[in-house]
Amino acid sequence: MSPAFNTLFAQESTKTTQQLWLDYNQKWQLSDRMSIGGPIGIKSISTHAWNRYYVSPQIAYKVPKMMLKDLKYSEELRGGVEFYYNQNTDGPDVLEITPFQGYALTWPNRERLDIRHYVELQERFQLETDNWHNKFGLKLSYEVSCTFKFQGDVWQYGKGFYMPVSLKFYWNLIDAVVFNNVFRITPGLGYQFNHEWKAAFLLGYNRTRNGVGDQFKTNDIIYRFRVYRTFGK
């Protein structure tokens, strides 16, 4: 690890932080199987030690059913690139470029409940802006997310509301310089305004190793607000 990052994170070996995440997620449905889009967002920490700005253009392809066609499930392949700019107050800023490839299986996929399993591989390239030194990281993640959708039959005003809950595990096959996540749990509440717009507020817990190895662990409390917009079909 570079001296700058040692200075940034060596103050405490373990601490609890509070973070605010905001993101706008857009998707263009090009056909029944193909879509493009991705989030644009910002992440900030209450100590004002850093802000993270990011955009993640991506493409998704819904795989046609090859077997068990009577089951209500869907498969999707994803690929794209994440661009992060980490603005640090006590060290050099960091530009991160992360190509990724993913596979999603949604089963069961019902009117009131769907469960999605998502596996993703990320190749992380982090460059410090003072000397443009490159550090490579490789990360594998698995996320299971459940969405409970209200239909208005039990509570007449409930139609449109939904409850997303996700649990995500990370394996840092090659540690990057910063933000080597371990696991995250995120429950929330959302509302589907119409086919085009929906929004959700989530309260999450994230366990992170901010450095290489086991040093500089943090427990992160995350307040996240998400807005989604779908264009096309």
Side-chain angles (χ1 to χ4, degrees):
M1 181 184 292
S2 68
F5 279 106
N6 278 320
T7 301
L8 179 60
F9 292 110
Q11 296 176 0
E12 296 181 60
S13 59
T14 303
K15 63 180 179 180
T16 299
T17 73
Q18 296 191 57
Q19 299 181 16
L20 176 64
W21 295 9
L22 305 172
D23 55 82
Y24 169 66
N25 303 264
Q26 51 195 341
K27 182 173 75 171
W28 283 267
Q29 195 69 44
L30 305 180
S31 67
D32 291 338
R33 300 200 180 279
M34 189 76 68
S35 65
I36 59 174
I40 301 171
I42 180 175
K43 301 178 181 182
S44 184
I45 192 169
S46 59
T47 58
H48 304 294
W50 51 259
N51 291 314
R52 303 191 79 197
Y53 307 93
Y54 68 95
V55 59
S56 179
Q58 55 192 261
I59 185 170
Y61 174 73
K62 186 174 291 185
V63 180
K65 289 184 177 181
M66 304 298 293
M67 55 189 299
L68 302 174
K69 295 183 179 181
D70 293 334
L71 287 181
K72 291 185 177 295
Y73 74 93
S74 65
E75 296 177 282
E76 191 175 73
L77 299 176
R78 297 182 184 178
V81 184
E82 293 181 346
F83 298 93
Y84 276 94
Y85 187 83
N86 304 323
Q87 184 182 42
N88 302 309
T89 57
D90 297 325
D93 294 348
V94 178
L95 174 65
E96 180 173 334
I97 303 172
T98 304
F100 65 89
Q101 307 81 40
Y103 166 78
L105 169 65
T106 303
W107 181 81
N109 189 6
R110 301 284 183 174
E111 184 180 11
R112 288 178 170 80
L113 170 69
D114 63 58
I115 300 177
R116 189 189 69 173
H117 305 269
Y118 183 59
V119 179
E120 184 176 274
L121 181 66
Q122 295 182 330
E123 300 84 28
R124 308 176 66 191
F125 300 90
Q126 294 183 340
L127 299 96
E128 300 179 25
T129 58
D130 60 343
N131 56 21
W132 297 106
H133 173 73
N134 177 48
K135 172 67 178 179
F136 175 74
L138 186 65
K139 180 166 66 178
L140 179 68
S141 64
Y142 165 71
E143 180 180 24
V144 56
S145 56
C146 304
T147 304
F148 303 90
K149 294 167 280 189
F150 298 94
Q151 301 300 320
D153 46 1
V154 176
W155 176 42
Q156 61 176 330
Y157 302 108
K159 186 173 178 60
F161 284 96
Y162 64 96
M163 293 179 60
V165 181
S166 69
L167 182 61
K168 191 169 186 178
F169 299 92
Y170 302 87
W171 293 270
N172 295 287
L173 307 179
I174 301 176
D175 281 341
V177 174
V178 290
F179 299 110
N180 294 300
N181 293 328
V182 179
F183 72 88
R184 179 189 307 155
I185 181 170
T186 314
L189 179 65
Y191 185 76
Q192 180 89 45
F193 297 95
N194 49 47
H195 171 73
E196 187 176 350
W197 290 94
K198 68 177 182 178
F201 175 77
L202 304 104
L203 179 63
Y205 167 79
N206 190 62
R207 179 68 166 171
T208 303
R209 288 187 294 110
N210 281 322
V212 177
D214 292 328
Q215 68 269 43
F216 315 130
K217 295 179 180 178
T218 66
N219 300 307
D220 309 317
I221 307 301
I222 299 169
Y223 308 91
R224 188 174 193 178
F225 183 67
R226 314 196 71 182
V227 175
Y228 302 84
R229 187 178 184 184
T230 301
F231 302 87
K233 298 181 180 181

